[in-house]
Amino acid sequence: MSDERASVSEFTVGFAAGRRLDLLVADHASLSRTQAATLIANGHVLVNGGREKASYKGESGDVIRVTIPPPPGRDIIPEQIPLDVVYEDEHLLVVDKAAGMVVHPAPGNWTGTLVNALLGRGEPLAEGGGEDRAGLVHRLDKDTSGLLVVAKSDAAHRILSGALAARQVTRRYAAVCWGHLAEDRITVDKPIARDPRDRTRMAIVQTGKAARTDFMRLARFDAVDLLRAHLHTGRTHQIRVHLASTGHPVIGDDTYGGGGGRRLAALPPRRHFLHAAWLRFRHPMSGDVLDLRSPLPADLRTSLAALSDMPELATHQDPLDVFHFYHDD
């Protein structure tokens, strides 16, 4: 495979100085330690332009370049999969992703992903992230539904990625957690990294990447709170990990302790109550503000109706309006 299809990224060692190179790479690229060590052994990781062993202890200021080659012999196949596109022009599109859809191909999910569906539309897509992540500006978990931005050109991708890094893209999620937060508004500002005891999970790790989420309670029901979550950073599983750290995990979240009571919550298997409902950002070319909203999908409307004991919510066009989710306060 050519380097044009590889995923390349760089980071600078800061407060994580003293950690092994394989652990630094694993945390940065969301890989297992074994995967990171393989990349290092095959020369795909450079430290200040040179090769080091997996046991090398990172020093403050080290610049680490990670190249993740695409799987050998794996072509990303365009597929005719219907997508709910809520906005599109020649520069970008915004998709309302359904729960259960994986965003990009990876081991165990080479087909049926959002990227396969995007390629199947036959439209141009930014190439900056490699073919397996064609056009993607950010991601959503498999079982999280809602709004996701895709760039059609490398210029749009570069500007949107920069805006995301500069926290100029407003991303607000509807979530329901078990129990009740201590206050109506809380901020969780805790670093996140791979769980050192289970690399398939994320965890609060002091040497992890900075992560901040604001939570606002919109309604309090008998067993749960309806929340609006505002992301300031975009770490893997951030909202789920941050809520679990408060002792109030997202309902239906089997990975982080919220999977019980599925019948009470009227949730289907493998679904958690997390929805990317509100997205606001400046168009990368025109500068116009795009304000896009995704109504709560049917399965979450049914769940909210059951948890709130308000059956009328199951057929409401968007119950989030009832609880003033879209008020800018």
Side-chain angles (χ1 to χ4, degrees), residues 104-117:
H104 62 81
N109 293 286
W110 294 115
T111 62
T113 73
L114 177 63
V115 167
N116 294 108

Side-chain angles (χ1 to χ4, degrees), residues 83-89 92-97 121 146-149 277 279 281 291-295:
L83 291 175
D84 184 0
V85 177
V86 300
Y87 177 88
E88 184 171 15
D89 62 22
L92 63 94
L93 68 152
V94 177
V95 175
D96 195 348
K97 185 187 83 69
R121 299 176 80 238
L147 301 173
L148 186 146
V149 184
L279 189 62
F281 60 97
D291 190 315
L292 304 170
R293 303 174 184 189
S294 169

